[in-house]
Amino acid sequence: MAARTKSAKDRPSYRCTECGWTAVKWLGRCPECQAWGTVEEYGAAPAVRTTAAGRVSAPALPIGQVDGRQATARTTGVPELDRVLGGGLVPGAVVLLAGEPGVGKSTLLLDVAAKAASPEHRTLYVTGEESASQVRLRADRIHALHDQLYLAAETNLASVLGHLDEVKPSLLILDSVQTVASPEIDGAPGGMAQVREVAGALIRASKERGMSTLLVGHVTKDGAIAGPRLLEHLVDVVLHFEGDRHARLRLVRGVKNRYGTTDEVGCFELHDEGITGLADPSGLFLTRRDEPVPGTCLTVTLEGRRPLVAEVQALTVDSQIPSPRRTTSGLETSRVSMMLAVLEQRGRISALGKRDIYSATVGGVKLSEPAADLAIALALASAASDTPLPKNLVAIGEVGLAGEVRRVTGVQRRLAEAHRLGFTHALVPSDPGKVPAGMTVVEVANMGDALRVLPRGRRRSDGEGSAGGPETAPWGTREATARGGRGGARDNGRGNGRDSSRDSGRDIARDEDREPF
């Protein structure tokens, strides 16, 4: 007798745990989301069933009659974290905080747990990675002790829910969600099924009790949050904790926020006594000097909606190898390479191609937005000519491959921050808007206009002389201006029928000899 062919109902089905894509056979890589190892068997295809209507938990109301006071945010006691959260923690909200190991997640949340605790609002801190005594030692070091702060070391989901019934906290902190497992679900702690079950159970408990929850999440080597993508969809707020372990600065950046904007960034300083918020972090990114130094330029970057004054440094030295080095720290290598090409082609600074070039930022800040292009280019030009830029100068603008300086967002906010810190001069693209009173702002249209801020002192190109010849008179003198034949900064490369792209470097170095300030 022939064997009975397996029907479609008896055949197993396969589903991607990341995006939900289904198939009738197993694949190592999901064709929909391109994730590896996420396709798992989940049994035969279920029969189509219709769910009958049941009783509702609460009647539907017009949206204007819904009481919004129940969702009023309560402060965490840490102003910088409140800034990112949109005012504080909303009752019933679930926040996921992710970051690399050692960046300071546990230190920050232990400080939040102590400051948020009060006689009316208890806090429960559950650790799955450390013992209770280890957490107590950290609490002693950072002075995070409170009578209403409860501590438990658990890795079982049922035990965690039991602590909720006993303590009845207003705030739950779980460090971390990847270390807790449910005995009813197969798989090791941190697996996709376990993370989904643990997160789902805690989210249900938070909504039912009106309890705010802070979950610590691990990250992969690529910087993404470990576990299924569904975890980020389930929670209300997703925060990333960023920072170089060799620097003091830490940034908390909002990725998702159902209760506020994601444009805010919280700044913290990590030190031996714990972690503290920085309401004015620009001082970490600056080097105070009595006299300007060649190869340094200041800019104003936007971290979210917060303007921060940062310093770009560059150094050029004679290369000892056929292929000169290009080393960056805190800057994107690709953008530095673009600025080198623009300076060599549009500014005719030929010395850059034969020298080792090192560029960096101060204080561990990372500059990735195009608004720092002009500061990077001026720092490189200052280092190549060995002449410092004017004191109290900031440069803001994006530089294109044609040498033009483009407009960027938030110029007025950037100028206001620079003026608040005492800077008196600024190079900006055209049409900057309202300028702070008492601040000298020069609009530049291209790199030719911007490079005029370099004083005509000792300049060098290819190891001797200046970019356009030997030492010349200082910029701004009547003699040098008359020799140029063109007065306006924006007439660079035009007016005498000369090719602007080919003669732009000589115009900058020889013809346009006047300072904008």
Side-chain angles (χ1 to χ4, degrees):
M1 181 177 177
R4 183 171 63 89
T5 304
K6 185 180 293 187
S7 64
K9 284 186 177 182
D10 299 331
R11 294 175 184 171
S13 298
Y14 299 88
R15 178 173 57 192
C16 176
T17 58
E18 290 284 339
C19 64
W21 177 83
T22 59
V24 296
K25 64 178 182 179
W26 180 86
L27 296 173
R29 185 178 188 181
C30 174
E32 183 69 21
C33 64
Q34 305 299 320
W36 288 94
T38 59
V39 179
E40 297 179 357
E41 180 181 350
Y42 71 100
V48 179
R49 294 185 177 90
T50 302
T51 302
R55 297 179 59 184
V56 297
S57 58
L61 296 175
I63 191 170
Q65 299 180 13
V66 177
D67 187 8
R69 292 175 298 179
Q70 299 180 0
T72 302
R74 184 172 67 92
T75 179
T76 62
V78 182
E80 287 298 306
L81 184 59
D82 290 341
R83 176 198 292 267
V84 185
L85 293 173
L89 288 171
V90 176
V94 180
V95 180
L96 177 63
L97 177 65
E100 295 183 357
V103 75
K105 302 184 297 297
S106 301
T107 303
L108 174 63
L109 292 184
L110 187 57
D111 185 48
V112 170
K115 292 182 177 179
S118 66
E120 298 81 14
H121 302 283
R122 293 180 176 180
T123 301
L124 175 60
Y125 189 101
V126 179
T127 174
E129 300 179 346
E130 302 174 275
S131 65
S133 59
Q134 289 175 324
V135 178
R136 170 60 194 271
L137 290 177
R138 184 186 299 115
D140 289 335
R141 178 171 56 88
I142 66 175
H143 308 290
L145 298 175
H146 198 281
D147 293 338
Q148 300 302 320
L149 171 56
Y150 292 80
L151 178 62
E154 297 287 352
T155 57
N156 189 301
L157 177 60
S159 301
V160 174
L161 297 177
H163 284 297
L164 296 181
D165 295 334
E166 182 180 352
V167 179
K168 296 180 175 58
S170 298
L171 173 62
L172 168 66
I173 298 178
L174 179 62
D175 185 9
S176 66
V177 68
Q178 277 88 2
T179 59
V180 179
S182 172
E184 300 178 359
I185 302 297
D186 295 334
M192 295 184 180
Q194 288 287 0
V195 171
R196 284 198 305 267
E197 178 63 22
V198 172
L202 294 178
I203 290 173
R204 288 192 298 270
S206 299
K207 304 300 182 185
E208 294 172 357
R209 301 168 182 265
M211 172 188 66
S212 302
T213 301
L214 286 170
L215 304 177
V216 177
H218 296 167
V219 296
T220 63
K221 61 181 180 180
D222 298 326
I225 299 177
R229 195 74 173 184
L230 180 66
L231 178 61
E232 299 179 52
H233 290 286
L234 289 176
V235 300
D236 301 308
V237 182
V238 179
L239 304 179
H240 271 277
F241 205 0
E242 305 172 357
D244 185 0
R245 65 174 55 203
H246 301 294
R248 297 180 298 170
L249 177 68
R250 298 292 186 270
L251 298 179
V252 176
R253 196 184 307 274
V255 178
K256 171 189 175 182
N257 193 347
R258 290 175 178 168
Y259 309 110
T261 179
T262 57
D263 293 336
E264 290 288 358
V265 175
C267 298
F268 297 87
E269 181 181 8
L270 188 65
H271 45 77
D272 295 339
E273 290 76 23
I275 189 168
T276 56
L278 294 175
D280 188 9
S282 295
L284 290 177
F285 314 138
L286 302 177
T287 303
R288 298 296 182 181
R289 305 182 182 90
D290 295 334
E291 296 296 333
V293 177
T296 63
C297 185
L298 299 176
T299 186
V300 186
T301 182
L302 282 181
E303 288 289 349
R305 293 189 297 178
R306 169 181 286 188
L308 302 175
V309 178
E311 180 178 340
V312 179
Q313 296 182 343
L315 178 65
T316 64
V317 296
D318 292 331
S319 179
Q320 304 298 327
I321 57 178
S323 298
R325 296 183 180 92
R326 300 290 185 266
T327 305
T328 61
S329 176
L331 300 170
E332 291 186 351
T333 305
S334 58
R335 300 209 70 86
V336 175
S337 300
M338 289 172 58
M339 293 305 101
L340 289 172
V342 170
L343 289 174
E344 185 171 357
Q345 182 66 23
R346 307 300 179 188
R348 291 295 189 265
I349 304 179
S350 58
L352 294 174
K354 303 176 182 179
R355 299 171 66 85
D356 293 338
I357 297 176
Y358 305 89
S359 56
T361 58
V362 175
V365 65
K366 294 183 179 180
L367 300 180
S368 58
E369 63 167 343
D373 287 352
L374 186 56
I376 296 174
L378 289 178
L380 293 170
S382 173
S385 61
D386 198 22
T387 56
L389 294 169
K391 193 176 181 180
N392 294 329
L393 169 70
V394 296
I396 304 168
E398 178 184 359
V399 178
L401 294 180
E404 77 279 10
V405 180
R406 303 171 182 170
R407 296 178 60 185
V408 295
T409 60
V411 175
Q412 296 184 25
R413 276 184 290 163
R414 300 174 196 259
L415 292 178
E417 176 68 11
H419 181 261
R420 185 184 68 83
L421 294 176
F423 296 97
T424 57
H425 298 78
L427 293 181
V428 297
S430 59
D431 193 15
K434 185 178 180 180
V435 176
M439 191 172 192
T440 303
V441 175
V442 176
E443 302 178 21
V444 292
N446 50 51
M447 282 304 301
D449 297 342
L451 288 176
R452 293 192 193 96
V453 300
L454 288 173
R456 290 303 298 259
R458 180 172 57 88
R459 304 180 64 198
R460 67 188 182 196
S461 178
D462 289 324
E464 58 182 81
S466 66
E471 295 184 8
T472 58
W475 288 17
T477 60
R478 187 180 303 275
E479 176 185 0
T481 304
R483 190 170 58 246
R486 291 188 297 275
R490 297 186 183 181
D491 293 334
N492 179 34
R494 300 191 297 273
N496 290 340
R498 299 167 61 184
D499 180 50
S500 61
S501 64
R502 186 174 300 276
D503 295 337
S504 59
R506 290 189 292 272
D507 291 343
I508 294 169
R510 184 183 65 245
D511 296 338
E512 307 277 2
D513 291 336
R514 66 183 181 89
E515 294 177 282
F517 301 128

